[in-house]
Amino acid sequence: MDESGPAGGAPGRGVVGAAAGMALGFAGWFGGFGAFLVVASLGAVGWFAGHLVDRGTSLREFLDAVAGRRP
């Protein structure tokens, strides 16, 4: 059998994007536009935190780089 998915059996970005879109759709449908914005902003924060973890950067290192400080 040909395994065309990502290595390790993790879901691909398309699956994750579809799940995020469905979550935003449900929030908008059942909770209104305010709930849509809350879910979208928390999703963005979660994506950003995951991106930092994938790169191996801690929050302190990121904030120091933004502020222009070097350790």
Side-chain angles (χ1 to χ4, degrees):
M1 180 184 287
D2 180 29
E3 294 187 31
S4 58
R13 290 183 181 180
V15 173
V16 173
M22 289 173 30
L24 288 172
F26 280 120
W29 182 264
F30 293 112
F33 188 67
F36 174 84
L37 291 178
V38 168
V39 171
S41 62
L42 291 176
V45 169
W47 174 85
F48 181 71
H51 184 70
L52 287 178
V53 169
D54 283 345
R55 289 180 43 197
T57 305
S58 70
L59 183 61
R60 172 59 59 199
E61 291 172 341
F62 173 76
L63 292 176
D64 285 344
V66 169
R69 295 181 292 216
R70 302 235 178 228

